[in-house]
Amino acid sequence: MMSSYRQVAGVRVLGAEHSPYAAGLLREAWGDGGPDAVPVRLAVDPALPEGGHRVDVPEAGEVRLTGDPFAGLVYAARDLVDRATGAGLPVGASAAAPGLPLCTLWTWDHSTNWDTRQLGQQEIGALNPYAKSADAFGADYRRLVDFCSRERIGGIVVYGLLRDAHGGVEAARDLCEYANARGVRIIAGVGINAYGGIYFDGRHRYNLATWLRQRPDLAAELPKKVGFDIDEFGDLHFPASEYMMAACPSQPDNLAWHRDAIDWLLDTLPVGGINFETGDYGSCACARCARRTGGERTSWSYEAMRAVYPTLLETARRPGPAGVPLRHLVEVYWDNIFDLDAQQPLADLPDDVAYQYCVNRGFWYDQRDRLTAAHVDRLPHTTNVLRTHAGSQWNRQRHSWVPEMYADMATRSGAAGMRGLTIFAEAAAYHPTNEISYLAYARFSWNPELAWADFWRDEVAPRFGGSAEAEAFRDGAALLDDPAADAAALTAVRGDALAMVAATGGEVQRRWLWLAERAARYAHSAG
């Protein structure tokens, strides 16, 4: 039976107030009005999960797009535009929703480089000054927001969201409003008693260093070494600076200050949520903390989390953009998702936020078979998210080809009942290795049951000129990460890539040109 199609010579959007951006996508695709304009109605259904949407294209009458109040109509509009063929719009109805609804990209402002023209780019760091011009902040993050909106990724964590060097409150507000319109949450990364506080860098009353200069009696007693160790990276020391000042979690005045700062943040900016972190570069060793924790000595403290989060999460419990609940993520730190005894102090924390467990590459490959539904049911809370350093500089993979790993994480997370997957996304999708890795993350987090062969056929092969060509690119990119690769092997990759540059054009050519240049650079250093 042949499918029927509906011709569209223009659209008349009804209900555009529900999502002006979605309405704009439709008008951009088909034009606004005209004598034969097809009426397209935008409708909100609060019962849909975030990102959930329905598309109904009848043979005559109104085309109807339905979505959740925040992102669904943007996704539905893109879905409708993508359906169009030379024959018109296929008639029929469909519905879709994310398999892992709490998917989020994680970034620091100083090393997020999505506008590759900017000077002052940094590739690594956790407590860095901002080295770019002030307008680079918006230039980088608007591109990242646009990518997320296209690929149905619901949120971006930004540490350093509030910083004098790139515009402070006004720049942060502009970014939040830009992202909210496109169905993407900007989630403020905030340090509690660490990492700069709520206003990361600047002479502001809610900057942690400013507070502790006024009240030095409230400072934490940090260990002599400030930093941490990750197996895939090595021993990391943070430089002595006001960025790594920390406050004592046993001091009530610090908790009151943080409570007021959270109130100020949510009154001031239309953020989509908060990523809470109590600091992972040293826990307070003062006598009060030692008595309370019973001598707990790691680079982070579960007892410090238990001391502050009930008050702060209560303060942060309010509606967000479009009236939907804010998305709050609480860091539970690294490689400990299977250590239920260590997490026992967290059991009494509020259950209406997401708890985010980070894993490193080696830990994942050694332990991933243990991520089962039975284990997730035993975690202290009902909403749990996996976050990974894999695919980032912290596992020496900032520009590595890792789509298979992200697909594996999403598939296993979905089967186990996790609610989301968070990855680093500071490097632009201009780099083909990052591009394919991000696309794997987006597709498999939307549908954790997606088959790898289908992803390869639909998303990877066309971007490199064919399936065999994509395999060759993957193998060449892997050689860039091999410390044993010599100049001759890298030069061979460069030659093969340049042959593909000569044989292709457009975006396919750009991807091969990237590999040729990268291989040439690595060969030069290896020689």
Side-chain angles (χ1 to χ4, degrees):
M1 179 178 176
M2 295 183 61
S3 299
S4 59
Y5 292 86
R6 183 163 179 184
Q7 300 303 309
V8 181
V11 294
R12 179 165 53 90
V13 182
L14 310 172
E17 69 276 7
H18 294 306
S19 179
Y21 184 73
L25 291 173
L26 300 174
R27 292 169 180 144
E28 181 181 353
W30 287 297
D32 187 12
D36 299 318
V38 172
V40 181
R41 182 171 296 279
L42 306 185
V44 170
D45 183 353
L48 288 173
E50 188 163 315
H53 58 278
R54 298 190 294 268
V55 176
D56 186 9
V57 181
E59 292 184 355
E62 290 182 356
V63 172
R64 188 174 183 87
L65 306 184
T66 307
D68 81 278
F70 184 62
L73 285 172
V74 175
Y75 296 174
R78 293 188 186 280
D79 190 355
L80 187 70
V81 171
D82 289 345
R83 287 166 181 259
T85 70
L89 275 176
V91 171
S94 67
L100 294 174
L102 301 184
C103 279
T104 315
L105 302 182
W106 203 101
T107 68
W108 267 104
D109 64 330
H110 52 65
S111 44
T112 293
N113 303 322
W114 278 69
D115 184 343
T116 58
R117 302 167 297 179
Q118 300 292 336
L119 296 176
Q121 295 183 39
Q122 301 176 66
E123 294 271 7
I124 194 169
L127 291 165
N128 298 14
Y130 193 75
K132 300 180 187 178
S133 62
D135 59 355
F137 175 75
D140 281 318
Y141 275 98
R142 284 193 297 271
R143 283 169 172 77
L144 179 51
V145 167
D146 290 343
F147 180 84
C148 288
S149 183
R150 278 196 312 274
E151 307 303 340
R152 300 182 299 190
I153 299 169
I156 305 167
V157 171
V158 184
Y159 273 85
L161 175 64
L162 287 162
R163 191 197 288 258
D164 284 354
H166 53 54
V169 169
E170 290 307 313
R173 181 181 292 117
D174 288 347
L175 175 61
C176 290
E177 291 173 350
Y178 183 90
N180 287 339
R182 289 156 178 77
V184 181
R185 293 173 181 262
I186 297 299
I187 299 172
V190 303
I192 305 302
N193 294 315
Y195 280 120
I198 280 65
Y199 195 106
F200 175 70
D201 186 7
R203 297 298 184 257
H204 190 277
R205 69 184 187 275
Y206 292 127
N207 168 256
L208 186 60
T210 301
W211 169 244
L212 292 177
R213 280 195 300 270
Q214 297 169 356
R215 292 291 307 275
D217 56 306
L218 301 179
E221 294 183 16
L222 290 180
K224 185 175 181 180
K225 176 212 168 182
V226 178
F228 47 74
D229 180 82
I230 300 176
D231 289 344
E232 283 83 3
F233 182 84
D235 200 22
L236 177 73
H237 288 259
F238 289 150
S241 74
E242 67 177 25
Y243 293 143
M244 41 117 341
M245 294 174 71
C248 173
S250 296
Q251 294 281 3
D253 285 356
N254 283 330
L255 180 57
W257 179 82
H258 281 89
R259 180 199 61 214
D260 294 345
I262 295 296
D263 260 335
W264 170 83
L265 171 68
L266 297 180
D267 286 343
T268 304
L269 295 179
V271 296
I274 297 173
N275 191 114
F276 287 94
E277 182 167 348
T278 53
D280 53 15
Y281 53 84
S283 52
C284 183
C286 76
R288 294 176 69 170
C289 285
R291 285 194 301 269
R292 184 167 51 80
T293 64
E296 177 191 39
R297 296 299 297 132
T298 61
S299 61
W300 60 80
S301 169
Y302 296 104
E303 288 293 341
M305 297 166 68
R306 182 163 69 172
V308 299
Y309 280 141
T311 296
L312 299 182
L313 294 174
E314 176 62 30
T315 301
R317 192 175 288 121
R318 59 168 84 182
V324 299
L326 291 170
R327 179 186 300 180
H328 298 319
L329 304 169
V330 173
E331 295 289 347
V332 193
Y333 302 106
W334 320 329
D335 297 345
N336 58 359
I337 189 170
F338 303 119
D339 190 348
L340 297 175
D341 292 337
Q343 297 161 29
Q344 193 54 42
L346 309 182
D348 294 334
L349 294 184
D351 202 41
D352 60 346
V353 298
Y355 291 83
Q356 188 162 247
Y357 295 85
C358 189
V359 298
N360 287 291
R361 172 182 37 156
F363 179 87
W364 174 253
Y365 283 125
D366 288 343
Q367 306 284 335
R368 57 184 172 172
D369 288 341
R370 298 175 64 188
L371 187 66
T372 63
H375 177 75
V376 171
D377 284 343
R378 296 178 64 202
L379 293 174
H381 299 95
T382 57
T383 303
N384 302 288
V385 172
L386 194 70
R387 181 168 87 90
T388 187
H389 287 137
S392 81
Q393 60 273 15
W394 302 114
N395 284 180
R396 300 186 183 276
Q397 293 181 308
R398 184 174 173 91
H399 295 293
S400 296
W401 174 283
V402 293
E404 295 91 344
M405 180 167 55
Y406 287 162
D408 184 43
M409 288 180 171
T411 297
R412 291 173 183 267
S413 293
M418 302 289 282
R419 299 290 290 160
L421 174 63
T422 301
I423 66 167
F424 279 71
E426 296 172 338
Y430 165 79
H431 307 282
T433 47
N434 296 105
E435 176 190 20
I436 301 302
S437 298
Y438 297 157
L439 288 173
Y441 166 79
R443 298 296 179 267
F444 283 88
S445 60
W446 184 268
N447 177 15
E449 297 180 356
L450 179 65
W452 177 259
D454 293 341
F455 172 73
W456 188 270
R457 180 196 65 224
D458 296 338
E459 302 286 357
V460 184
R463 286 176 164 82
F464 298 98
S467 182
E469 290 81 0
E471 291 176 3
F473 187 99
R474 177 199 61 202
D475 295 344
L479 201 64
L480 300 177
D481 285 338
D482 183 354
D486 59 20
L490 291 162
T491 299
V493 171
R494 182 193 67 182
D496 291 343
L498 286 173
M500 288 300 299
V501 170
T504 57
E507 288 295 282
V508 173
Q509 183 183 64
R510 174 189 65 78
R511 295 181 181 97
W512 283 103
L513 188 62
W514 178 94
L515 181 60
E517 188 282 329
R518 202 88 172 179
R521 192 192 329 169
Y522 281 43
H524 177 78
S525 296

